[in-house]
Amino acid sequence: MEDYAKYDVLSGFCLYRHLYELSVKYGTQLYNYQARIRMGKGKIELLKKGSRDLENNSKQILSLTKRIDILKALLKDLKEKLENDILKADADVFGKPEISDITDEEMSLVNYILKKLREDQVQMADYALKSAGASIVEAWTSESYKNDKAKLHWHEIGFLHYEMPPDIILQPDVHPGKCWAFPGSTGHTVIKLARKIIPRAVTMEHISEKISPSGSTASAPKDFSVYGLKDEREGEEIFLGQFVYEKKGITVQTFQLQNAVSEYILYIKLKILTNWGHSKYTCLYRFRVHGKPEQGT
């Protein structure tokens, strides 16, 4: 009986030891498997992050490549124009200049790019355009800023101030310094439109800091309001909206009028309420008015 008891104890001990070894073995395998899973998740996250970074970098590279292609096309176009000018002016003296090897396909691409670059961004008729017949009502417009440095000189004696007239804001030629300036941060002007319209939107344009000679656009208008007038001299002002020109935004900003009107208007009043911090003057580069024209005019 004792032998059987000893045998049972020994068998139980062996079984327990075997189970312990199996648990250690499979426990280790399970731990290693879980570790591999955790490592795999980490690697997956790293791969995802790397993929996102690669995608962003690819977009930036693609954007830069497109810009480089545009610049190359513009340079080719400029080179051809210069060569043509030299050919016409100095052919007898210098002979025929060397023409660059521009293919028809490249020239088509250049012409297409130039056409796109020259297209108007707003894509709406401007009824405040001077060349179309619009004008400034001087009597209802703020005085221009008098800059002591902006003088004509004769034998070092300044004798005449000169500044850009208010109607410069009705012209599409927007370049640094080619703006109408008035003293301080508040001013106004009345524009006689090229024809009567039901106004729907206005567009304000200013230069960017990147091309500003001073590196600042603090003289840009900020808060401004727009009114409609049936007559330049009398009648109530019809409030059309108040807006904010964001100097950090795109240079050409269009604003839909907040107060819709159903009657045709010939005069628009623009009031500049604040600028972006310049203490001496505010500069207006271009202002446009859009809407539905009166039929038969």
Side-chain angles (χ1 to χ4, degrees), residues 84-153:
N84 289 336
D85 290 340
I86 294 172
L87 179 62
K88 292 176 182 178
D90 301 317
D92 295 337
V93 178
F94 298 103
K96 184 178 179 180
E98 181 182 354
I99 303 299
S100 59
D101 52 346
I102 302 176
T103 65
D104 292 338
E105 184 179 355
E106 289 174 334
M107 283 310 304
S108 298
L109 177 61
V110 168
N111 292 330
Y112 173 78
I113 293 173
L114 290 174
K115 180 177 179 294
K116 288 296 181 183
L117 290 174
R118 289 166 182 163
E119 279 184 354
D120 189 272
Q121 302 175 26
V122 179
Q123 295 293 304
M124 287 188 288
D126 177 17
Y127 295 98
L129 186 64
K130 182 179 178 181
S131 60
S135 60
I136 295 289
V137 181
E138 296 278 356
W140 294 89
T141 297
S142 299
E143 291 186 2
S144 298
Y145 175 71
K146 305 295 183 182
N147 186 356
D148 291 334
K149 295 181 180 179
K151 286 184 178 181
L152 295 177
H153 289 78

Side-chain angles (χ1 to χ4, degrees), residues 164 168 171-180 205-208 211-213 283-286:
M164 292 293 173
I168 197 71
Q171 302 177 48
D173 192 12
V174 177
H175 294 291
K178 207 165 187 181
C179 62
W180 173 52
E205 182 174 358
H206 200 83
I207 62 171
S208 69
I211 66 171
S212 173
C283 281
L284 286 181
Y285 275 84
R286 189 180 179 189

Side-chain angles (χ1 to χ4, degrees), residues 205-252:
E205 182 174 358
H206 200 83
I207 62 171
S208 69
E209 290 183 346
K210 293 180 180 179
I211 66 171
S212 173
S214 65
S216 170
T217 54
S219 63
K222 184 180 179 183
D223 299 284
F224 67 95
S225 56
V226 181
Y227 298 82
L229 302 171
K230 292 183 179 179
D231 188 270
E232 62 178 299
R233 300 182 183 85
E234 57 187 12
E236 65 175 333
E237 297 178 351
I238 305 172
F239 177 74
L240 300 177
Q242 182 170 325
F243 314 97
V244 178
Y245 180 87
E246 297 290 347
K247 72 169 186 173
K248 294 295 185 181
I250 59 175
T251 57
V252 181

Side-chain angles (χ1 to χ4, degrees), residues 8 20 44 46 99 102 123 149 183 186 205 228 266 296:
D8 290 340
Y20 174 77
I44 290 173
L46 288 174
I99 303 299
I102 302 176
Q123 295 293 304
K149 295 181 180 179
T186 59
E205 182 174 358
L266 187 58

Side-chain angles (χ1 to χ4, degrees), residues 12-285:
F13 177 76
C14 291
L15 179 62
Y16 173 77
R17 182 174 180 179
H18 182 65
L19 290 174
Y20 174 77
E21 290 175 351
L22 288 175
S23 65
V24 170
K25 176 181 178 182
Y26 289 110
T28 302
Q29 292 178 354
L30 179 62
Y31 175 81
N32 292 334
Y33 177 72
Q34 290 175 340
R36 284 197 297 272
I37 291 177
R38 286 195 296 270
M39 185 180 297
K41 289 182 178 179
K43 288 182 178 180
I44 290 173
E45 291 301 322
L46 288 174
L47 287 174
K48 287 182 178 179
K49 183 178 182 302
S51 178
R52 288 193 296 267
D53 292 341
L54 182 60
E55 182 179 1
N56 292 334
N57 291 336
S58 298
K59 289 180 179 179
Q60 292 178 4
I61 292 171
L62 181 61
S63 176
L64 290 173
T65 302
K66 288 181 178 178
R67 294 181 184 179
I68 291 171
D69 290 340
I70 291 174
L71 289 174
K72 285 182 178 179
L74 291 174
L75 286 173
K76 286 182 179 179
D77 184 69
L78 179 60
K79 183 178 180 181
E80 181 176 315
K81 288 180 179 179
L82 288 174
E83 289 174 343
N84 289 336
D85 290 340
I86 294 172
L87 179 62
K88 292 176 182 178
D90 301 317
D92 295 337
V93 178
F94 298 103
K96 184 178 179 180
E98 181 182 354
I99 303 299
S100 59
D101 52 346
I102 302 176
T103 65
D104 292 338
E105 184 179 355
E106 289 174 334
M107 283 310 304
S108 298
L109 177 61
V110 168
N111 292 330
Y112 173 78
I113 293 173
L114 290 174
K115 180 177 179 294
K116 288 296 181 183
L117 290 174
R118 289 166 182 163
E119 279 184 354
D120 189 272
Q121 302 175 26
V122 179
Q123 295 293 304
M124 287 188 288
D126 177 17
Y127 295 98
L129 186 64
K130 182 179 178 181
S131 60
S135 60
I136 295 289
V137 181
E138 296 278 356
W140 294 89
T141 297
S142 299
E143 291 186 2
S144 298
Y145 175 71
K146 305 295 183 182
N147 186 356
D148 291 334
K149 295 181 180 179
K151 286 184 178 181
L152 295 177
H153 289 78
W154 182 74
H155 290 282
E156 299 183 355
I157 300 175
F159 67 93
L160 181 65
H161 286 275
Y162 67 92
E163 60 273 327
M164 292 293 173
D167 66 0
I168 197 71
I169 70 173
L170 309 182
Q171 302 177 48
D173 192 12
V174 177
H175 294 291
K178 207 165 187 181
C179 62
W180 173 52
F182 57 82
S185 59
T186 59
H188 61 272
T189 186
V190 172
I191 303 168
K192 182 181 179 181
L193 302 176
R195 61 193 299 182
K196 287 185 177 181
I197 66 168
I198 296 177
R200 299 281 173 79
V202 296
T203 296
M204 183 79 75
E205 182 174 358
H206 200 83
I207 62 171
S208 69
E209 290 183 346
K210 293 180 180 179
I211 66 171
S212 173
S214 65
S216 170
T217 54
S219 63
K222 184 180 179 183
D223 299 284
F224 67 95
S225 56
V226 181
Y227 298 82
L229 302 171
K230 292 183 179 179
D231 188 270
E232 62 178 299
R233 300 182 183 85
E234 57 187 12
E236 65 175 333
E237 297 178 351
I238 305 172
F239 177 74
L240 300 177
Q242 182 170 325
F243 314 97
V244 178
Y245 180 87
E246 297 290 347
K247 72 169 186 173
K248 294 295 185 181
I250 59 175
T251 57
V252 181
Q253 300 177 23
T254 299
F255 308 88
Q256 299 298 320
L257 298 181
Q258 298 162 350
N259 185 26
V261 294
S262 57
E263 52 192 329
Y264 290 95
I265 291 172
L266 187 58
Y267 295 89
I268 291 290
K269 186 172 187 178
L270 170 64
K271 291 184 178 180
I272 305 299
L273 307 176
T274 63
N275 66 20
W276 281 95
H278 204 291
S279 60
K280 292 185 177 181
Y281 57 82
T282 301
C283 281
L284 286 181
Y285 275 84

